[in-house]
Amino acid sequence: MTDKITVAGVSVDTRHWIGGERVASAGTFTDVSPIDGSVIGEIARGTATEAAAAVAAAKAAFPAWAATSRAERARLLHAVADGVEKRIEELAIVETTDNGALLRSHRRGVMPRVAHNFRFFADWLLTLEHEDFDTRGHTNHVDWDPAGPSVLITPWNAPLMLSTWKIAPALAAGNTVVLKPAEWTPLTASLLADITAEAGLPAGVLNIVQGYGSEIGDALTSDPGVRRISFTGSVPTAKRISASAAANLTPLSLELGGKSPLLVFADADLDLAVDLAVEQYDNAGQVCLAATRILVEEPIAEEFTRRFTQKAAGIVQGDPRDEATDIGPNIHPRQLEKIDGFVQRAIAAGARAVIGGHRKDGQYYAPTLLTDVAQDSEIVQEEVFGPVLTLQTFTTEDEAVGLANDTRFGLAATVATGDKERAGRVTAQLVAGTVWVNCFFVRDLQAPFGGSRHSGVGREGGNWSFDFYCDLKNTVTAPKGWKDHG
């Protein structure tokens, strides 16, 4: 295998990044672009050997990094952000080639957010404190101590942004990191390794091992030296990771699947509600937070469906490198098969495709809206992770809440209503980590993020990230007992 490949004019190293050096493997796996099915290159395929080496490098680097001052850690994270900003165009085109998401979104939103992730947690670190408090004359002082090497396992739908959402707070906290990027989208993680090296991040503080989770996952998550594991992905994989981590009582943060509802009440701004619903096709439906279950109050259901169909007809699906494109391909033939399987089984069970319901050429799936679906049906209960929405109706507020909460998930929910009091009543009853009212996908890194039920364990963001990546220590000091050394 060659050590480097060229992707849209950008040189990308195909090897792992371990202990500040590039490390090859005996085997490789093939990285394929979902845009046209072309082979991008052969990527180093990690084994338990490379995984163990990466964890060992993180362990070795941890004492010095943990002892590094907050100010210096923050400075280095800002230097990484500077490097990201200098290479936004390169990162954008490489990630679009690798995962098929829109180039314009990568340029204008996603890659700038990558830089922001580093800047936010660098700045937050410098303000992290808890006011001392008194207990019967004794002083309590809270510290956030670095916990240790952290294993971060990240998904393919927003590879670099979601990786740095974990990397940045882990490094800011004083932990060292082993990143395992998704095997379908490894390329921008490799570019990030170059950026961190150029920024001066010490060797071993960030390590990247590429490959299949089935081959290297257990070696990463079962090592007793690993003190934190953060994973974004599927529920079955999370269960395997949890079992692996249990032997060492390694704390976990899990952000998992979703089957989120969009509740549209008759008093809502209907055009806004339709816009919110059509927005759920973003990134070809490959968004964990997507409100894929549209629940519409009965009196407006017909008009909502008419306007939705009209709005969705204007979606431009095609090459994500084209500025005019609204949604691109799905990530992999296996995922496309999964999406179509869900849809065809639903139709066979009596669902009606108002729009879509079929594949298109290549790895593209037509934006789909299914009606006449039962609440207990597979298509309503299970995450599809593609451009597939269902529409159900309700007649009362209580029924709407009941339908919204009636899945095993609880990641997010969206409510469209013109009644502020109703919004308060409904959001108070929804089981979700994030609820949007008359908006969607407004996220602030200060806010807690995570899911309820099978949508996850724990919260990250702001102080919650540091609470997870650190060992909190309370020191209680008596007012007396000091000797005079004067």
Side-chain angles (χ1 to χ4, degrees):
M1 97 178 217
T2 58
D3 291 345
K4 293 187 178 182
I5 56 176
T6 300
V7 182
V10 181
S11 178
V12 183
D13 203 300
T14 59
R15 297 168 294 176
H16 313 288
W17 179 250
I18 299 173
E21 297 180 348
R22 290 292 179 177
V23 176
S25 289
T28 65
F29 63 92
T30 304
D31 189 24
V32 176
S33 175
I35 298 174
D36 54 12
S38 62
V39 172
I40 300 173
E42 296 296 319
I43 312 300
R45 181 173 176 170
T47 67
T49 299
E50 287 83 16
V55 173
K59 290 179 189 175
F62 173 68
W65 182 245
T68 300
S69 70
R70 287 188 179 190
E72 178 61 8
R73 294 202 302 263
R75 184 192 70 78
L76 285 166
L77 292 184
H78 275 291
V80 173
D82 291 341
V84 169
E85 289 175 346
K86 290 175 183 176
R87 301 185 69 176
I88 279 179
E89 183 63 25
E90 294 180 9
L91 292 165
I93 189 59
V94 168
E95 188 140 296
T96 290
T97 304
D98 210 14
N99 86 329
L102 298 184
L103 179 57
R104 72 169 191 250
S105 295
H106 281 141
R107 283 172 171 158
R108 300 170 193 170
V110 178
M111 296 309 162
R113 172 62 181 268
V114 169
H116 176 65
N117 286 344
F118 285 105
R119 296 200 192 282
F120 174 88
F121 286 107
D123 292 341
W124 197 271
L125 170 65
L126 299 180
T127 65
L128 189 66
E129 63 179 351
H130 190 294
E131 186 176 347
D132 289 353
F133 56 98
D134 179 81
T135 303
R136 298 187 300 277
H138 296 65
T139 300
N140 293 262
H141 178 77
V142 176
D143 288 299
W144 282 262
D145 290 348
S150 301
V151 166
L152 313 179
I153 304 173
T154 54
W156 44 260
N157 57 325
L160 191 59
M161 193 277 285
L162 291 177
S163 294
T164 57
W165 157 252
K166 300 175 186 294
I167 293 169
L171 295 182
N175 294 356
T176 51
V177 165
V178 178
L179 172 69
K180 192 278 178 192
E183 59 267 25
W184 288 346
T185 53
L187 300 182
T188 47
S190 181
L191 292 177
L192 179 65
D194 297 333
I195 291 169
T196 59
E198 292 165 4
L201 198 69
V205 171
L206 173 66
N207 307 275
I208 299 171
V209 183
Q210 303 156 155
Y212 296 103
S214 60
E215 297 176 349
I216 60 176
D218 186 64
L220 292 173
T221 57
S222 65
D223 191 302
V226 172
R227 295 316 310 145
R228 293 294 184 272
I229 299 171
S230 181
F231 168 73
T232 297
S234 71
V235 173
T237 302
K239 290 180 178 180
R240 291 194 294 271
I241 291 171
S242 298
S244 179
N248 301 311
L249 295 178
T250 307
L252 294 162
S253 176
L254 305 173
E255 195 259 285
L256 309 176
K259 196 69 180 175
S260 302
L262 164 56
L263 290 72
V264 181
F265 289 92
D267 56 23
D269 178 328
L270 199 52
D271 287 333
L272 170 64
V274 167
D275 287 346
L276 291 173
V278 173
E279 190 178 351
Q280 308 311 312
Y281 290 129
D282 183 50
N283 201 22
Q286 299 168 142
V287 178
C288 57
L289 294 161
T292 56
R293 296 184 296 130
I294 305 173
L295 309 175
V296 184
E297 194 165 359
E298 183 65 41
I300 62 166
E302 184 176 343
E303 179 62 15
F304 175 91
T305 304
R306 185 188 71 79
R307 294 194 197 186
F308 177 94
T309 303
Q310 185 178 40
K311 180 82 173 180
I315 293 173
V316 177
Q317 187 172 24
D319 192 320
R321 296 165 295 193
D322 189 329
E323 280 281 320
T325 298
D326 295 313
I327 62 173
N330 289 98
I331 185 69
H332 192 276
R334 192 189 312 163
Q335 184 67 16
L336 198 70
E337 288 285 343
K338 178 184 174 185
I339 294 165
D340 194 50
F342 273 113
V343 172
Q344 300 314 317
R345 288 191 298 273
I347 291 173
R352 180 173 67 91
V354 177
I355 61 171
H358 58 85
R359 304 183 198 192
K360 302 174 78 172
D361 291 340
Q363 286 175 211
Y364 296 79
Y365 204 88
T368 297
L369 177 67
L370 300 175
T371 60
D372 302 329
V373 293
Q375 179 63 24
D376 62 355
S377 64
E378 177 191 56
I379 196 67
V380 170
Q381 293 294 324
E382 298 298 328
E383 184 177 44
V384 177
F385 222 63
V388 179
L389 310 179
T390 60
L391 190 148
Q392 299 167 269
T393 61
F394 63 87
T395 56
T396 68
E397 192 175 291
D398 286 344
E399 184 185 8
V401 171
L403 290 171
N405 287 340
D406 187 22
T407 74
R408 63 194 173 104
F409 296 105
L411 187 57
T414 304
V415 178
T417 178
D419 186 333
K420 190 173 183 180
E421 292 184 358
R422 166 176 277 157
R425 289 194 305 271
V426 170
T427 57
Q429 298 175 76
L430 292 174
V431 179
T434 300
V435 181
W436 288 286
V437 179
N438 295 328
C439 61
F440 177 67
F441 217 44
V442 179
R443 289 183 59 184
D444 192 308
L445 287 177
Q446 297 180 72
F449 180 76
S452 303
R453 297 176 175 167
H454 280 208
S455 286
V457 174
R459 296 292 185 270
E460 295 186 39
N463 269 23
W464 293 275
S465 285
F466 287 97
D467 288 349
F468 172 68
Y469 287 110
C470 292
D471 287 325
L472 270 73
K473 178 172 64 186
N474 185 48
T475 301
V476 184
T477 304
K480 299 179 181 178
W482 303 109
K483 293 183 179 179
D484 184 1
H485 294 285

